[in-house]
Amino acid sequence: MNDVNSTDGVDGVLDEDRAAAALTALGVRSGAVLLVHASLRSLGPVAGGARGVLGALRRAVGPEGTVVVPAFTTENSDTSPHYRARVRGLDAGAVDAVRAAMEPYDPAVTPAPSMGALAETVRTAAGAGRSAHPQTSFAALGPGAGRLLAGHRADCHLGEDSPLARLYEADARILLLGTGYATCTAFHLGEYRLDRPPRRSYRCVVAARGVRQWWEYEDVALDDGDFAALGAAFEESAADGDVRIGRVGAAACRLVRLRPAVDFATDWLTEHRAATVR
């Protein structure tokens, strides 16, 4: 694990130049494939807001690098925590109205409001691509976007037929930009690599040949409840260079190699979740 330092702007506002320099100091390299989780609020004032942050990320990875973000859409599912919170306390008629108003997933236009401003900025940027999964899509900008996003099977949220597996193959880095391991999506790939992971049913609204319909499917039961503890354990045992810690603006940040993080997650989850079951 490596610690690096960076500085804010002297006026208290982080501009694109300083943000790009801080990312480089953290270890982001030209040509990198970067999976980004960001809390823009934690950065403090940023010139240009989310667009300024995206500009800094793209400058740090250079013209050959690719920026990837989760663009998940829990809003069109009635098996998601988002839905359960939304309908809690409503009568049957109101619940029916909520369900009727849910829009089918369209990778070109469906927003991902719960994923934050940076994800929406990437998703809507000129030249951005987005994967096909109606619940757990990813958006990306850069020359590697097409390869990383292709083949995201609709019955595979975050497993071998998702962009996470392509990011693993690409030896991507995870940038936790003011966020912690509790939001580290890559750990979910470790869940898929468990021996016979638990599965559950999911349901969401899709458009099949232009017709709105509900679609139900089975996939791995995703659970991020122990990811903070998993991340702390990974960081404690990480090899030199697998985790770099520093600041961008006011935010504490981590740059993490995705492959060793997923490999560690697979072993850790195998041990700890089996122990919980026992």
Side-chain angles (χ1 to χ4, degrees):
M1 183 172 63
N2 305 91
D3 292 278
V4 296
N5 296 309
S6 66
T7 58
D8 300 344
V10 294
D11 55 2
V13 177
L14 187 67
D15 62 23
E16 189 173 308
D17 288 342
R18 295 187 183 108
L23 291 165
T24 299
L26 184 62
V28 177
R29 296 292 176 253
S30 180
V33 175
L34 204 59
L35 174 60
V36 184
H37 297 272
S39 168
L40 298 191
R41 183 179 302 172
S42 71
L43 294 172
V46 179
R51 291 187 182 278
V53 174
L54 177 56
L57 289 165
R58 299 200 73 187
R59 286 175 61 174
V61 301
E64 300 304 314
T66 301
V67 174
V68 184
V69 293
F72 300 169
T73 49
T74 61
E75 294 78 14
N76 72 332
S77 169
D78 67 353
T79 54
S80 68
H82 173 90
Y83 172 81
R84 290 192 292 272
R86 186 177 179 188
V87 302
R88 188 174 296 120
L90 299 183
D91 62 30
V95 171
D96 288 343
V98 168
R99 287 168 55 83
M102 288 182 175
E103 295 287 340
Y105 176 70
D106 181 339
V109 299
T110 299
S114 62
M115 303 312 296
L118 180 65
E120 278 294 274
T121 301
V122 173
R123 181 187 71 79
T124 58
R130 192 179 190 183
S131 67
H133 197 284
Q135 291 287 275
T136 53
S137 66
F138 290 78
L141 272 171
R147 173 177 51 83
L148 294 166
L149 301 176
H152 194 174
R153 261 184 32 211
D155 60 351
C156 181
H157 283 117
L158 299 167
E160 304 304 333
D161 293 300
S162 81
L164 281 185
R166 308 290 80 77
L167 288 161
Y168 183 95
E169 294 166 358
D171 196 19
R173 268 53 177 176
I174 304 160
L175 176 61
L176 300 175
L177 195 61
T179 65
Y181 288 107
T183 63
C184 185
T185 300
F187 287 154
H188 285 298
L189 184 56
E191 291 185 297
Y192 282 78
R193 295 181 173 180
L194 300 178
D195 182 31
R196 290 178 295 181
R199 297 174 69 84
R200 55 162 284 200
S201 292
Y202 296 88
R203 189 169 51 245
C204 62
V205 183
V206 299
R209 298 179 180 176
V211 178
R212 179 187 182 275
Q213 64 184 49
W214 286 92
W215 179 56
E216 187 167 354
Y217 59 100
E218 186 180 274
D219 197 9
V220 168
L222 301 173
D223 179 7
D224 60 6
D226 51 6
F227 281 8
L230 164 56
F234 168 66
E235 190 166 294
E236 185 175 341
S237 63
D240 188 48
D242 284 352
V243 180
R244 291 175 61 89
I245 300 174
R247 302 192 74 82
V248 178
C253 302
R254 283 167 168 79
L255 186 70
V256 180
R257 286 190 62 209
L258 189 146
R259 277 184 187 169
V262 169
D263 292 343
F264 183 90
T266 304
D267 292 339
W268 191 92
L269 292 170
T270 296
E271 177 183 352
H272 287 77
R273 291 193 179 172
T276 300
V277 171
R278 290 197 300 269

